[in-house]
Amino acid sequence: MSQNSPHDITSDVDQPDVCVDFADLGPGMVTTRVKVRIIRRFVCPAYGARFVEFVLEDPKGQKIHAVIGGDVAQRFSSILIEGNCISDFVVRMALGRFRPSSHRFRLGSNALTSVNLIRPFSQSDNFHFAKFSDIKEGHLNPCFCVDLIGRLLVTFDFRRSESNRVNHRFFFQMKDRSGVRLIFRLPDVFVDSFMNERKKWIGDFQILIVRFAKLEVVEGNVTATTACTCTQFFFDHECPEFLVMRRFFTRK
């Protein structure tokens, strides 16, 4: 009987259940089987094609950052797609200023990594929305990405302004249920896709969800912006939090 190579794509039909979740990860682990769902796949331009990055989620809704070597990502490209549930990674400390999740570890790969397709365990969005007041008052660590939800109030497009030659001159403003307003700086490469998504909805107001936003301090004020290609925008995405916010602003 032939044996699977370390890089074979397998399913969990004949395998024991994966029982380790993110809360059980520890510094003594080298490799471990962790049941995860891919909720975001993206690349960091600084690394080029050498690495593919992911935000992964366990069955409890906890999130973790993963960085997979390009050779491994290519080998398992057919299953390393958003929405799939997979397992088997290397555990490493989470270092650096870019941290899509607040978990102290991140997952990675090595030459022997084997990625396994497993049974789906969740379809929930599991957003973790930050309060605008906490952002404005500097209570949140700017190294960690956050989810935002609010009513889109206005956009400011200064890209054609002759008096302003600074890059990334497109901004928009959001307001949450408590009335706190937050400015978002949108880099030029995101503007067209953002505006195209916005045009799809016609109504009295729009509820915008920004997933994996990065916080930044500009002249003493905390604002938000994108994090590489990780950040996502959802207009009128019908999750429970959206429905609550829509009812709130409809009554206003």
Side-chain angles (χ1 to χ4, degrees):
M1 181 180 295
S2 62
Q3 293 183 335
N4 290 334
S5 74
H7 302 298
D8 286 340
I9 299 174
T10 60
S11 71
D12 69 342
V13 174
D14 298 317
Q15 298 180 20
D17 192 26
V18 184
C19 60
V20 180
D21 67 27
F22 297 163
D24 299 320
L25 298 180
M29 296 178 175
V30 179
T31 60
T32 189
R33 304 197 66 206
V34 184
K35 179 185 290 187
V36 298
R37 177 169 67 111
I38 301 173
I39 58 174
R40 189 64 174 146
R41 173 176 174 149
F42 62 101
V43 293
C44 180
Y47 295 140
R50 290 181 298 158
F51 300 100
V52 180
E53 304 197 41
F54 300 86
V55 179
L56 307 174
E57 181 179 78
D58 71 7
K60 297 180 180 179
Q62 303 171 100
K63 296 180 180 65
I64 198 168
H65 183 201
V67 181
I68 308 299
D71 55 339
V72 176
Q74 183 176 8
R75 216 171 272 125
F76 300 108
S77 60
S78 64
I79 63 173
L80 288 173
I81 59 178
E82 292 178 7
N84 270 359
C85 295
I86 55 177
S87 72
D88 298 348
F89 291 92
V90 177
V91 180
R92 296 191 172 98
M93 292 297 297
L95 303 173
R97 293 181 59 82
F98 175 56
R99 305 276 293 278
S101 86
S102 58
H103 203 289
R104 64 190 182 117
F105 297 107
R106 67 174 173 85
L107 301 181
S109 62
N110 59 24
L112 299 178
T113 297
S114 176
V115 180
N116 295 284
L117 186 64
I118 63 175
R119 296 182 182 91
F121 56 79
S122 174
Q123 294 298 322
S124 174
D125 290 309
N126 284 325
F127 292 115
H128 294 119
F129 292 113
K131 294 180 179 180
F132 286 11
S133 58
D134 287 342
I135 294 173
K136 301 277 290 218
E137 294 168 12
H139 296 323
L140 304 183
N141 187 332
C143 291
F144 303 147
C145 290
V146 297
D147 296 337
L148 308 173
I149 184 171
R151 178 175 176 175
L152 180 63
L153 297 179
V154 65
T155 59
F156 307 92
D157 190 351
F158 299 123
R159 290 175 297 166
R160 296 179 178 84
S161 172
E162 294 296 330
S163 61
N164 187 344
R165 300 185 181 276
V166 180
N167 290 330
H168 313 313
R169 293 163 296 175
F170 188 96
F171 303 86
F172 60 83
Q173 187 181 64
M174 303 167 63
K175 179 174 70 172
D176 65 10
R177 290 173 57 194
S178 64
V180 179
R181 301 186 180 209
L182 181 69
I183 292 290
F184 196 104
R185 178 178 66 85
L186 189 61
D188 293 348
V189 295
F190 286 89
V191 174
D192 288 343
S193 60
F194 175 86
M195 294 302 292
N196 288 336
E197 286 299 315
R198 186 187 179 192
K199 290 176 183 177
K200 295 178 182 178
W201 178 263
I202 300 176
D204 295 334
F205 59 86
Q206 293 174 307
I207 303 298
L208 174 61
I209 292 175
V210 184
R211 189 169 217 182
F212 307 124
K214 189 179 188 307
L215 304 179
E216 61 182 0
V217 180
V218 179
E219 297 180 351
N221 297 315
V222 183
T223 61
T225 187
T226 58
C228 300
T229 57
C230 181
T231 305
Q232 293 175 287
F233 299 96
F234 301 97
F235 285 94
D236 300 292
H237 179 72
E238 292 203 6
C239 63
E241 296 89 347
F242 159 78
L243 296 175
V244 170
M245 184 161 287
R246 184 175 64 179
R247 287 194 297 268
F248 175 81
F249 283 112
T250 300
R251 294 195 303 266
K252 300 291 282 184

